[in-house]
Amino acid sequence: MKRIAVFGSTGSIGTQALSIIASNPRRLKPVLLTCRSRIDMLRGQIERFRPEAVAVERESDAVALRREYPGLEVYCGKGGLRDAAREIGCDIMLNAVVGIAGLEPTLAAIDAAKAHGIAGFTIALANKETLVTGGRLVITRAADAGALLVPVDSEHSAIFQCLMGNEGNAIKRILLTASGGPFRGYSTEQLKSVTVGDALIHPNWKMGRKITVDSATMVNKGLEIIEAKWLYGVEASKIEVLIHPQSIVHSMVEYEDGAIMAQLGTPNMKVPISYAFSYPERWVTDARNVDFITLGSLQFDAPAGDTRRSLDMAYRVMRESEEKAYDSGAVALNGANEVLVQLFLDGRIAFLDIIDSLEKVLDSHDSRTVKGIEDILEIDRQARERALSFIRR
Ligand code: NDP
Ligand code: MG
């Protein structure tokens, strides 16, 4: 029986993870659940799963939960997730928080696993922002602690699977697939008038709001280039994005001999979530069969139009990271994106303002090496302010 901590249990990934946990009661025991403000949903999860501890954002929520559930450990506040990660003691940490808020808990969990000598400690990582902002730090610390990072992001899970059995062979290319989101093929003119509602309708996946907007701007795919670079130690120039509207081929790896390995399946996040828990085993999921006959064909296109600029920004910050070990650009890109997406969701800026402002933030950013977590948080803070200042102008 593995003890599993679910960070972000009320979200899109978190709730699907709990459904997998519920289907595997003899394999997984949820010991920690966390959320930010959807406390009623968390109450339902506490009653169903009986965790040892929870973490929430607000002190007032924590006080209420302690009163309602005597014996339940309740963490809260700014360092609540980090403290919970440090103290809970688990075999698997699912990090399904959204944004840079996922970085500190990841580092704390790795340190705790090392300190307590937890053999085979696994981080099932959905929170890509962890690697975008702290990639070098997280990969180094995880290796030092003997912690295994298994990606939940469907493309990276696909790459993980395509690498199996090919250890030691050089990678020629990673072909990272992208659905293209709701605005695939849109002209600049069309993108000028899209609404929040339009951006929140994803053709293939039902996800949280932030990542859904990121998919529409293609910033998500930019973040995924950075995520893949850190996970697999491949130069960003060897990571190519392919628009694949059906989301059946989840990504591919090409080797020096010209052989290409691909991982396919219907778009269903339960498959990569379950695999991150079960690896190296495979457990039953509710994924439907792919009906290749009905599907008829699989389509692939080159990224094009305004959203292509989001990919260019990711390549740009990764070039600086590779050539000079300057990692601050990715932190700035991520931080600025987080505030800009929120402004867009709040109806305060237009869709293309996100991409335009991100470029301005990068143009005015002084790239440099990143010394540690404090430094990352400071670069993040400055990038958020800078993005806001461009909007105010
Ligand atoms: P959701 O917005 O649906 O859920 C986010 C979860 O994190 C919720 O439990 C939320 O709590 C909590 N949370 C949000 N902000 C904070 C914060 N500042 N501090 C602590 N907790 C917080 O997101 P998703 O499940 O869609 O995505 C989670 C991560 O997984 C993201 O990094 C995303 O990029 C990645 N991912 C998601 C995929 C998907 O299919 N959804 C696919 C691939 C990757 P509350 O509910 O209280 O707000
Ligand atoms: Mg993805």
Side-chain angles (χ1 to χ4, degrees), residues 9 62 81 87 122-123 179 192 207 216 278 288 308 336:
S9 65
L81 290 190
E87 290 167 19
T122 300
I123 295 181
S179 71
K192 277 184 185 159
M207 309 179 285
S278 68
R288 279 187 296 112
R308 156 92 233 183

Side-chain angles (χ1 to χ4, degrees), residues 8-13 34-38 57 81 96-99 101 126-129 153 206-208 211 269:
S9 65
T10 51
S12 158
I13 295 287
T34 87
C35 78
R36 188 177 196 184
S37 53
R38 279 185 271 189
E57 187 167 80
L81 290 190
V97 164
V98 62
N127 178 258
K128 59 193 81 183
E129 295 91 345
D153 213 348
K206 176 131 186 32
M207 309 179 285
I211 185 176
M269 282 309 296

Side-chain angles (χ1 to χ4, degrees), residues 16 19-20 23-24 27 265-278 281-289:
Q16 293 181 84
S19 130
I20 293 165
S23 307
N24 292 280
R27 290 166 161 150
T266 44
N268 181 337
M269 282 309 296
K270 284 195 189 156
V271 179
I273 300 170
S274 171
Y275 192 61
F277 298 164
S278 68
E281 294 173 15
R282 289 181 186 275
W283 299 342
V284 174
T285 72
D286 62 8
R288 279 187 296 112
N289 290 351

Side-chain angles (χ1 to χ4, degrees), residues 18 45 244:
L18 285 179
Q45 296 180 346
H244 169 47

Side-chain angles (χ1 to χ4, degrees), residues 128 153-156 211 220-221 224 227:
K128 59 193 81 183
D153 213 348
S154 57
E155 297 79 358
H156 303 74
I211 185 176
N220 179 53
K221 211 45 62 177
E224 289 185 356
E227 182 186 11

Side-chain angles (χ1 to χ4, degrees), residues 6-226:
V6 183
F7 285 76
S9 65
T10 51
S12 158
I13 295 287
T15 50
Q16 293 181 84
L18 285 179
S19 130
I20 293 165
I21 292 169
S23 307
N24 292 280
R26 280 191 292 277
R27 290 166 161 150
L28 298 170
K29 177 178 160 53
V31 291
L32 171 76
L33 306 176
T34 87
C35 78
R36 188 177 196 184
S37 53
R38 279 185 271 189
I39 305 296
D40 279 337
M41 192 191 291
L42 183 70
R43 282 194 177 89
Q45 296 180 346
I46 293 171
E47 272 149 42
R48 172 137 192 234
F49 292 98
R50 300 279 161 204
E52 296 166 11
V54 297
V56 296
E57 187 167 80
R58 279 190 303 260
E59 171 74 30
S60 55
D61 290 327
V63 170
L65 289 170
R66 284 187 195 114
R67 204 173 37 235
E68 291 162 50
Y69 305 102
L72 180 71
E73 182 77 42
V74 184
Y75 297 88
C76 68
K78 217 173 167 332
L81 290 190
R82 188 194 50 215
D83 295 345
R86 193 175 287 148
E87 290 167 19
I88 189 67
C90 60
D91 303 293
I92 303 176
M93 170 207 215
L94 169 66
N95 187 341
V97 164
V98 62
I100 195 174
L103 176 59
E104 280 191 282
T106 307
L107 290 169
I110 293 172
D111 292 348
K114 185 182 176 191
H116 300 132
I118 300 174
F121 174 68
T122 300
I123 295 181
L125 190 65
N127 178 258
K128 59 193 81 183
E129 295 91 345
T130 285
L131 289 178
V132 172
T133 55
R136 199 181 296 267
L137 196 62
V138 171
I139 295 293
T140 314
R141 280 223 214 153
D144 172 60
L148 182 66
L149 274 174
V150 186
V152 166
D153 213 348
S154 57
E155 297 79 358
H156 303 74
S157 174
I159 298 164
F160 185 85
Q161 295 174 61
C162 293
L163 291 170
M164 280 161 47
N166 291 296
E167 295 78 5
N169 289 312
I171 294 171
K172 193 161 152 197
R173 281 191 301 170
I174 287 181
L175 297 160
L176 193 66
T177 54
S179 71
F183 307 140
R184 181 170 57 88
Y186 274 39
S187 66
T188 307
E189 244 1 85
Q190 286 173 300
L191 288 176
K192 277 184 185 159
S193 54
V194 298
T195 65
V196 174
D198 299 332
L200 286 178
I201 302 168
H202 194 282
N204 304 343
W205 302 97
K206 176 131 186 32
M207 309 179 285
R209 285 153 64 89
K210 193 253 178 188
I211 185 176
T212 305
V213 174
D214 284 347
S215 300
T217 56
M218 293 277 282
V219 167
N220 179 53
K221 211 45 62 177
L223 301 182
E224 289 185 356
I225 292 170
I226 303 172

